[in-house]
Amino acid sequence: MPASSTSSAPTSAQSATDSAPSTNGHAAPRTGAPQNPIGRIPVQDVSPLVDGGARPAKAVVGETFTVNATVFREGHDAVNANLVLTRPDGSEIYLPMDCINPGLNLWVAEVTPDEPGYWTYRVEGWSDLFGTWEHDATIKVAAGVDTELMLTEGVLLLQKAAAQEGRSGQGRLLLDEAVSGLQNTSQTAMARLHAGVNRDIHAEMAALPMRQYISPTADFPLLVERERALYGAWYEIFPRSEGCYYDETTGEWVSGTFATAAKRLPAIAKMGFDVVYLTPIHPIGTAARKGPNNTLNAGPKDPGSPYAIGSPAGGHDALHPDLGTFDDFDAFVAEAARNDLEVAMDIALQASPDHPWVQTHPEFFTTRADGTIAFAENPPKKYQDIYPLNFDNTPAEAYAEVRRVIQVWIDHGVKIFRVDNPHTKPVEFWQWLIADVAKDHPDVIWLAEAFTKPAMMHTLGKVGFQQSYTYYAWRNQAWDLREYVEELAGDAASYMRPSFWPTTHDILTPYMQFGGLAAWKVRAALAAMLSPTYGIYTGYELMEHVARPGAEEQIDNEKYQYKDRRWADYDKGGPKEGQSLAGYLTRLNEIRREHPALHWLRNVRFHHVEDENLLCFSKRRILRNGEEDTIIVVANLDPHSTRSSVVHLDMPELGMGYGDSFIAEDLLTGAEWRWWERNFVRLGPEWEPVHIIKVRRD
């Protein structure tokens, strides 16, 4: 049921008795420390619950998720439960919960929050007076035991229900008629009982129940954010490469600018991307500057790594002079908005030896025993052009300075930040920073680029990061990918939203180096279909697959040099027309936009395929108008071989029975077949490596 439901909140008068048991008007004694009182009606194992409720569970506007709880009681009296949502304005919504496994006491309710902000939720267990009477009366009247007594108890109960505060006039009339039916001795006992337990009475008592011994949990936090926090397609660029060129006359490279990069925005938007992500755009230091392919012998004209931030021209709050002025940057952001693109900025909290902070805030860095500032290391790797920030020397000053820098970019229209290596900074710093920004800018989104220990990745999500990079690039076997996605879409989905990237400027796996066209297609398709948020690093369209020897990243990496991809060569009429995957990426993004089922993560379900190299999954969503949107994806993860196999669909997960069939429309090729529970597939480099199937019911 949506959170915007008009379900009314039961008042104290509707509860029939006090929420806590009493004897002769005196409350029962309560258990004290070291335990917490369990409640008259035990409510346990509430989920989603992040760190026991210490941090908020997450959802986005319009996303449906399930709240679960174990609710039970002693004896045989009926027990019931409801979910109470408190909206950001303080108003409450009561939603009924359903027991989905009688005897095992698991109660569930679906929630679809309809506005952003901080919500709370709690589960209330309660003794169900009507349910208890109905259960006992049905058994006894059928057996001819205590018949009149049970019918009389029903009369008294429904009379009390009719008098409940908040009962509508129509509801009172319905209950009065039931009372008359229970008292009508001209009818059989079973007919009299039916008058008090028919469908209309059930509906009325469910709408305004008689609740006894109400036992609420604590109010748990729920953070509801805008949809982009969960769903979006990113496209990464190095602004200096967009529009750069080699001047044959001078023998030097000419940098791209914000103005030339803006000319690329319509093509990015045309491919269907939602976010254009900029690698660092700040001044770059010259001390220990890296040369091409990460060498240590940079020439005077080599641009250096944009991650070595800071020079006499400024630091994190400044722009590289080659890219343009703040007016040029503002024009770029405005042009992105005209193309329905949001701008994401890279935040790398590190400095080159030339950064102004080295002089003005040397306490922001770690000083070694010899008096020098420590540069970044990941032994045996050394990054002599980068000084990591140290947040422990003067934390108040360091926190405030970073907060000031973030505000500079927010004031220039940036609402999304991709954070480089957040796992190398204190978690409590990120918790503070993200929360402080959210006070005035709740629509700001943070993506954690943290390829590190799972505990750190999960905790960064828990303390505020809306999205996280993942190990998707290295999960290339069907069983491994299924296991990973099920982990991400399970309990972790309440706090950590994955972003799938097949490649980045730092990552070019052997699978992508040697897999050929099939690999580049299947990895893009799986990223786009499995995860609501995915990203493409520019040049993916061109299948830039050659790695620097000894490294899993591209040779001639644009982290260290300009890269003129000559996009016009791939346009219609150009010398390389047809040699780009731009059309394929465009189709993937069209499918994502056309099918709301792909906007969610928690709805992914996997299906069995006889060949272990093939992966099959589906996503199903029931839309607000009642229509179903269901997508099935079957992919061959072996990029070198065409494989045939049989897919076994879990038909109930598709909303169908095992004897049903449907029209399977391949959204990539336009082909159609009739599919049942068992279906033959043939996928691979000889044709297409992926089916993206739209389920069409007859």
Side-chain angles (χ1 to χ4, degrees), residues 241 264 566:
S241 287
R264 176 80 176 135
R566 304 178 65 89

Side-chain angles (χ1 to χ4, degrees), residues 596-598 600 603-605 618-622 628-631 651-656 697:
L598 299 171
W600 290 355
N603 60 341
V604 65
R605 300 293 184 269
S618 64
K619 289 190 173 184
R620 176 173 175 252
R621 177 173 172 180
I622 300 184
E628 293 185 17
D629 180 39
T630 304
I631 295 293
M651 299 298 280
E653 289 288 359
L654 305 176
M656 290 180 266
R697 303 286 293 272

Side-chain angles (χ1 to χ4, degrees), residues 8-20 41 73 78-84 92-97 122-132 157 160-161 164 167 205-217:
S8 59
T11 66
S12 58
Q14 296 163 8
S15 301
T17 68
D18 295 334
S19 60
I41 306 298
R73 66 166 300 168
V79 69
N80 215 316
N82 58 264
L83 177 68
V84 184
E92 291 187 334
I93 303 165
Y94 279 62
L95 301 179
M97 301 185 77
R122 69 177 182 269
V123 174
E124 294 180 337
W126 40 279
S127 179
D128 186 347
L129 296 177
F130 177 76
T132 298
L157 184 69
K160 195 170 186 177
Q164 280 181 280
R167 184 77 65 187
M205 294 304 293
L208 192 59
M210 299 182 73
R211 307 190 307 156
Q212 186 180 43
Y213 304 147
I214 302 169
S215 302
T217 65

Side-chain angles (χ1 to χ4, degrees), residues 216-546:
T217 65
D219 287 307
F220 301 117
L222 170 66
L223 175 58
V224 180
E225 299 170 298
R226 63 187 179 108
E227 187 186 30
R228 186 65 69 233
L230 173 66
Y231 164 72
W234 290 43
Y235 190 89
E236 175 192 356
I237 66 170
F238 281 70
R240 70 186 186 188
S241 287
E242 299 300 332
C244 73
Y245 63 93
Y246 184 73
D247 189 328
E248 298 285 354
T249 303
T250 64
E252 296 180 359
W253 280 91
V254 177
S255 174
T257 65
F258 289 125
T260 59
K263 295 178 181 179
R264 176 80 176 135
L265 293 174
I268 296 171
K270 185 178 179 181
M271 285 188 287
F273 290 95
D274 306 296
V275 177
V276 57
Y277 149 46
L278 313 180
T279 52
I281 53 178
H282 314 297
I284 299 172
T286 56
R289 175 175 285 190
K290 294 294 183 69
N293 291 307
N294 201 27
T295 59
L296 299 177
N297 54 345
K301 298 298 183 179
D302 287 327
S305 168
Y307 289 91
I309 296 171
S311 79
H316 287 74
D317 55 355
L319 294 168
H320 196 296
D322 289 353
L323 295 175
T325 66
F326 271 99
D327 286 342
D328 298 323
F329 179 75
D330 292 343
F332 178 89
V333 174
E335 180 63 16
R338 280 190 288 272
N339 284 274
D340 294 323
L341 289 165
E342 291 195 58
V343 174
M345 262 189 62
D346 211 327
I347 298 297
L349 294 183
Q350 57 202 30
S352 86
D354 302 319
H355 196 293
W357 283 342
V358 176
Q359 300 300 322
T360 61
H361 292 285
E363 70 278 7
F364 287 2
F365 306 96
T366 298
T367 301
R368 297 185 294 190
D370 62 0
T372 61
I373 293 177
F375 54 74
E377 293 185 80
N378 184 13
K381 296 180 180 178
K382 294 185 177 183
Y383 305 92
Q384 297 91 337
D385 57 338
I386 293 173
Y387 289 168
L389 293 190
N390 184 325
F391 286 85
D392 293 327
N393 293 336
T394 55
E397 290 79 3
Y399 283 32
E401 177 65 1
V402 174
R403 177 67 181 86
R404 182 191 67 80
V405 165
I406 296 298
Q407 190 62 48
V408 168
W409 301 109
I410 292 174
D411 292 343
H412 283 277
V414 177
K415 295 297 178 67
I416 304 179
F417 296 99
R418 180 266 196 191
V419 178
D420 192 66
N421 290 330
H423 56 288
T424 63
K425 315 300 185 291
V427 172
E428 66 175 3
F429 161 72
W430 294 118
Q431 184 179 37
W432 173 84
L433 178 66
I434 294 171
D436 196 69
V437 169
K439 291 176 184 176
D440 297 319
H441 307 283
D443 53 345
V444 167
I445 293 169
W446 302 80
L447 168 64
E449 189 255 0
F451 300 102
T452 185
K453 300 179 288 290
M456 174 61 81
M457 295 173 70
H458 284 248
T459 302
L460 289 170
K462 290 177 180 179
V463 302
F465 278 93
Q466 284 83 1
Q467 298 175 5
S468 175
Y469 277 68
T470 64
Y471 286 106
Y472 168 74
W474 296 276
R475 305 283 180 146
N476 295 308
Q477 298 183 55
W479 69 267
D480 198 18
L481 193 54
R482 172 175 180 165
E483 181 181 89
Y484 190 47
V485 171
E486 287 181 331
E487 173 194 330
L488 294 170
D491 293 342
S494 298
Y495 55 83
M496 182 179 136
R497 303 186 186 102
S499 183
F500 280 8
W501 293 72
T503 66
T504 73
H505 60 264
D506 292 316
I507 300 169
L508 184 66
T509 62
Y511 187 96
M512 305 303 289
Q513 294 174 35
F514 306 111
L517 176 61
W520 289 74
K521 280 187 170 184
V522 74
R523 295 306 291 181
L526 287 175
M529 299 297 116
L530 277 169
S531 179
T533 291
Y534 89 111
I536 292 297
Y537 166 44
T538 188
Y540 193 96
E541 310 96 304
L542 313 182
M543 294 186 292
E544 295 173 344
H545 66 283
V546 180

Side-chain angles (χ1 to χ4, degrees), residues 22-74:
S22 62
T23 303
N24 298 325
H26 298 288
R30 306 287 279 175
T31 301
Q35 294 198 42
N36 290 323
I38 197 169
R40 178 64 179 81
I41 306 298
V43 181
Q44 299 180 313
D45 305 325
V46 176
S47 68
L49 207 57
V50 180
D51 288 351
R55 275 158 276 285
K58 295 178 183 177
V60 300
V61 173
E63 180 190 9
T64 297
F65 66 96
T66 302
V67 174
N68 305 288
T70 299
V71 185
F72 60 97
R73 66 166 300 168
E74 83 291 346

